[in-house]
Every structure is written in C-alpha cells, then in structure tokens.
Amino acid sequence: MERTFRILDLCCGAGGAGVGYQRAGFEVTGVDIAPQTNCPYETYIEDVLKWDDWDYDAIHFSPPCQRWTTMNATTTASSHPDLYTPMLPVLDATGLPYVIENVPTSPLKPSLVLCGTMFDLVTKDSTKELRRHRVFETNWRIKSPARSCNHTRPPVWAAGHSPNQEYRDLYGQCPMHERQEAWGIDWMTRDELMESIPPAFTEFIGLQLIEHLRRKLETS
C-alpha cells in the first residue's frame, strides 16, 4: 500500500489550492488567520507567522497578493502585509519541499508560471477562458506543462472586483456561474473565489511533488 503524503496549506483561504493537492493524492491541512467555513478540509485559525508545527511532508504557501497586484489601484502596497519575506527563511529552515504561489508582479523567484489556458479552463459552453496567471516558487525541481499559454477566447474576469468600464464594454458581463465553471470551483462565495487559484494548478504541481517525495523515500 502506497503511503499518503501530508501537505500543509498556509494561508489556505477557502481551499482552491488544497483541493488540487487532494486530487493529486495528498492529505491536506489548512492554516489561515480567518475562519474558513467553506474550506472542504481541516483548517486551523492561526497567524502563519506564529505557526510552528512542521510535521508534514511538504508545504504550500499562498501569501496575500494584494501587496503586489496591479488590479486594485485604490489601495497602496504599504496597506497590505508582506508575508513572503519573513516566511521564506522559515520555510527554508524546515527542510521540507515547498511551493509558494502569487501574482506575476510579486517578488517570488518563479520556478513555474501557470495560466488557466494551459489546462483548457473554460466556461461550460466553451465561449470564455480563464486567463489567470500565477507564479510558483519551489525549492525542488518542477516541470512546466506541455501546453503553453494560449489566449484565444474572451476572458472570464479574474479580478476581485469588476474591471473598468472599457474592459466591460469589450468583454461584456461575467456572471458567477461562468467564474465557477472556469475555475472548477463550486463551493465558494464570490469573494473567496476571486482570491483562489484553480485546483487544476495545484493538482498538476501535486502530482509532481508526490513523485519527488517518493524518490526521496527510495533514496533515503
């Protein structure tokens, strides 16, 4: 019987990343500073900067992106926390393989860049596609998808709030069901969805991470 690996999902939100790891075969435990009643796996309410239980096989970390996103022009970067900088040496000190996720304008050192179009994430009627780009920093070797980013359809909005009028005029409205279909998520509120990543991203990563962990076991 193959071993089930355990992954710690820091800043888990409502579980978009964690569900992807579950689909890959991980047992997932989440940590978030706010209660996450819609998250479909066990979570702890805790400030990740104070977390000290590293009895896991791997770590995923999705620090808040608002400090670095270009989508919200009404706030300043300084009004949002930078959790990446203080957590990076903590993650390194654990000795565990980790995955850090954020927006392309963040200070992450990308090992991988993913877009919804690489996984054919589209609405049910295939008329719109999810152009959601995220960068991933890892301390282990990871491969990119065979399929490249390819924007061919009108996009499903990936912004937390409605884009500007020019954007709406160009692409039209984007009802909630279209976002749910394209993300592959049906258990979240609108605001939770807008802050999540599609499970397809971390399922792809998780399958590689499990193979990495199995190789480590075989050589230990």
Side-chain angles (χ1 to χ4, degrees):
M1 182 177 179
E2 289 189 342
R3 174 180 168 182
T4 297
F5 293 104
R6 301 169 67 235
I7 190 166
L8 182 66
D9 184 7
L10 298 175
C11 297
C12 63
V19 166
Y21 286 115
Q22 282 185 328
R23 293 174 182 173
F26 278 97
E27 177 184 316
V28 184
T29 300
V31 178
D32 202 281
I33 198 166
Q36 299 295 331
T37 57
N38 289 329
C39 190
Y41 46 85
E42 181 182 27
T43 61
Y44 292 92
I45 304 171
E46 181 64 89
D47 182 342
V48 297
L49 296 178
K50 299 177 180 179
W51 186 260
D52 61 0
D53 179 6
W54 308 111
D55 187 21
Y56 293 86
D57 298 296
I59 303 168
H60 176 93
F61 178 40
S62 290
C65 68
Q66 289 89 343
R67 186 178 183 89
W68 302 293
T69 184
T70 60
M71 296 302 296
N72 193 350
T74 63
T75 61
T76 60
S78 61
S79 65
H80 296 286
D82 170 14
L83 299 186
Y84 170 76
T85 300
M87 278 299 294
L88 187 59
V90 175
L91 298 181
D92 282 330
T94 68
L96 297 173
Y98 60 72
V99 180
I100 310 175
E101 171 270 326
N102 219 277
V103 294
T105 48
S106 72
L108 271 65
K109 299 176 284 293
S111 306
L112 179 69
V113 180
L114 297 180
C115 171
T117 62
M118 294 176 175
F119 302 93
D120 199 27
L121 298 183
V122 297
T123 53
K124 188 175 181 179
D125 61 8
S126 300
T127 60
K128 294 181 181 179
E129 64 192 11
L130 182 60
R131 300 181 194 174
R132 192 162 184 77
H133 299 87
R134 285 294 183 269
V135 297
F136 298 84
E137 178 179 343
T138 70
N139 62 344
W140 50 282
R141 189 173 182 178
I142 190 168
K143 297 179 181 178
S144 297
R147 186 174 182 178
S148 61
C149 181
N150 184 26
H151 299 169
T152 59
R153 303 174 176 91
V156 174
W157 294 349
H161 300 281
S162 299
N164 60 38
Q165 187 62 49
E166 180 181 0
Y167 199 92
R168 292 196 298 270
D169 290 344
L170 181 61
Y171 295 118
Q173 298 301 313
C174 186
M176 181 64 174
H177 74 85
E178 290 187 341
R179 302 182 191 203
Q180 291 174 322
E181 291 164 4
W183 256 263
I185 289 173
D186 61 5
W187 66 91
M188 297 184 187
T189 66
R190 172 190 174 278
D191 288 342
E192 289 170 341
L193 182 71
M194 293 302 100
E195 293 190 3
S196 73
I197 61 172
F201 286 10
T202 44
E203 182 178 6
F204 171 79
I205 292 170
L207 290 171
Q208 293 190 61
L209 181 51
I210 284 176
E211 287 305 310
H212 170 77
L213 292 167
R214 286 174 178 162
R215 287 195 297 271
K216 285 183 62 177
L217 283 178
E218 291 171 357
T219 58
S220 62

